[in-house]
Amino acid sequence: MSRIIETTWHGQPAWALENDELRVVTVPGMGAKIVSLYHKRVGYEWLLGPADRPFRPVPYGSSFVEQDMSGWDEMFPTINACPYPGDGPYRGVSLPDHGEVWALPWQVVEASGAALSLRVSGQSLPYDLVRTLSFVDTQSLRMDYTLSNTSDAPLAGLWAAHPQFAVTPTTELRLPREVKSVVSVAPLPSWAPIGSHLDWPVTAAPDGQPFYLDRVISAEAHHSRKIYLLPDQSVGWTMLLETGSNHWLRMEWDSAQVPYLGIWADEGQYNSELTIAIEPSTGYYDSLELAWDNERVPILPPDASVEWSLTVRLGAD
């Protein structure tokens, strides 16, 4: 049986969705950030906390890495800051770093025993985005999204999830077996420039030593990396397996709705703790301007809506 509770998180008004296995907490006033994804049976928190950074709302247009760097944020209509591309009434409109919805307050539109829905309206562009959280079963959280174009002109937009998962050196990132190669979209330390194709899950460093892309080792390395699956290789799941205890997190989605997958790993460059961010995305990649040039971004007709969903499953076997 699930329940929804009004609560607080580090002094901010929050809502908790809870059942016998899972507890999920979100903060509407801070971009509907999901701040906790807690597996009760294992006693494990899957999302990074704010650690030594203040947890508070940030001004619109802030740099993403200057905020608390915790939890699960929503990215729309871009990830990297860029001007709105293409022709039409919004051409050249400035889109802030990591989009805008992570830095805007969301409104609660439904809080029943079964679902928690929140909505945000665009500031730079005319749209509404609704996210609904509900439990599929005691171990599975479903996240349903509805994006509506509220204007009389076509609208391009790139959405991506940005969950900063708490991982350890014994955590492995699993992908479907058919994935053999990935693309570097942010340079690895001193090698693998942007656009490099790398073997998955183990590639060769310049010194010939194996470099494991499916794990992170130490926050003392003070670097990060970002890869994408090849743009024509759509997958529908990935998972994190904690090999020391065999508890795991699996994300699933419809690859026809969300065709691209980015993976960001931080070993102490921006956060003092290890993290892997699994980022299913509707555009390829990161910048709406670049995705437009790649012709790999959805365009929503006037007064139209589109829906997609993610499911997060937690297990311990």
Side-chain angles (χ1 to χ4, degrees):
M1 180 177 181
S2 63
R3 51 200 172 274
I4 296 176
I5 307 164
E6 285 192 75
T7 183
T8 60
W9 183 267
H10 288 260
Q12 298 294 327
W15 290 77
L17 182 65
E18 189 170 11
N19 64 25
D20 292 341
E21 287 270 343
L22 309 180
R23 178 177 169 87
V24 182
V25 181
T26 183
V27 178
M30 294 178 59
K33 180 196 291 285
I34 299 174
V35 293
S36 179
L37 181 57
Y38 184 70
H39 194 179
K40 296 179 181 180
R41 177 155 55 97
V42 175
Y44 191 78
E45 174 57 66
W46 275 101
L47 292 173
L48 288 186
D52 54 353
R53 298 192 183 204
F55 186 81
R56 63 191 180 205
V58 297
Y60 180 88
S62 297
S63 169
F64 185 78
V65 299
E66 294 174 357
Q67 54 111 355
D68 51 89
M69 294 297 289
S70 69
W72 180 320
D73 294 284
E74 306 292 345
M75 303 291 128
F76 187 85
T78 186
I79 300 179
N80 293 343
C82 68
Y84 185 89
D87 298 324
Y90 318 118
R91 179 176 178 83
V93 168
S94 178
L95 304 178
D97 181 39
H98 279 63
E100 61 178 10
V101 299
W102 70 272
L104 291 174
W106 294 43
Q107 303 299 317
V108 176
V109 295
E110 180 184 359
S112 68
L116 177 63
S117 296
L118 298 100
R119 179 179 62 214
V120 65
S121 297
Q123 181 166 316
S124 61
L125 299 172
Y127 63 85
D128 287 338
L129 179 63
V130 176
R131 187 192 68 199
T132 299
L133 305 178
S134 61
F135 291 125
V136 179
D137 52 47
T138 57
Q139 293 182 262
S140 305
L141 173 70
R142 181 178 171 95
M143 307 171 68
D144 289 292
Y145 298 84
T146 301
L147 174 67
S148 300
N149 180 354
T150 58
S151 76
D152 57 3
L155 183 70
L158 179 160
W159 168 86
H162 197 282
Q164 297 186 91
F165 291 123
V167 295
T168 74
T170 58
T171 307
E172 292 184 6
L173 174 67
R174 301 286 179 85
L175 291 171
R177 291 182 178 180
E178 62 266 25
V179 177
K180 305 295 185 184
S181 180
V182 296
V183 180
S184 174
V185 302
L188 291 165
S190 75
W191 61 283
I194 292 174
S196 302
H197 284 217
L198 307 172
D199 293 336
W200 174 269
V202 184
T203 193
D207 60 4
Q209 296 299 308
F211 189 95
Y212 292 86
L213 295 170
D214 60 346
R215 65 196 72 179
V216 286
I217 304 302
S218 172
E220 296 180 359
H222 300 299
H223 59 66
S224 62
R225 59 183 180 270
K226 180 74 179 281
I227 59 174
Y228 267 80
L229 272 62
L230 300 178
D232 291 319
Q233 184 165 50
S234 295
V235 301
W237 67 269
T238 184
M239 70 181 293
L240 294 168
L241 172 65
E242 182 52 57
T243 59
S245 60
N246 282 337
H247 68 268
W248 49 265
L249 176 149
R250 178 179 168 109
M251 289 176 64
E252 302 171 356
W253 59 91
D254 184 342
S255 60
Q257 299 173 329
V258 184
Y260 310 108
L261 176 61
I263 299 165
W264 177 62
D266 186 4
E267 293 183 306
Q269 181 169 357
Y270 299 106
N271 205 312
S272 59
E273 300 178 73
L274 293 171
T275 186
I276 293 178
I278 299 171
E279 303 181 25
S281 176
T282 60
Y284 183 81
Y285 56 86
D286 282 17
S287 159
L288 177 60
E289 185 177 38
L290 179 58
W292 177 279
D293 291 342
N294 289 335
E295 298 183 351
R296 291 186 179 273
V297 65
I299 300 174
L300 195 58
D303 299 313
S305 297
V306 63
E307 298 178 347
W308 67 93
S309 64
L310 292 175
T311 299
V312 183
R313 305 186 188 277
L314 303 184
D317 48 29

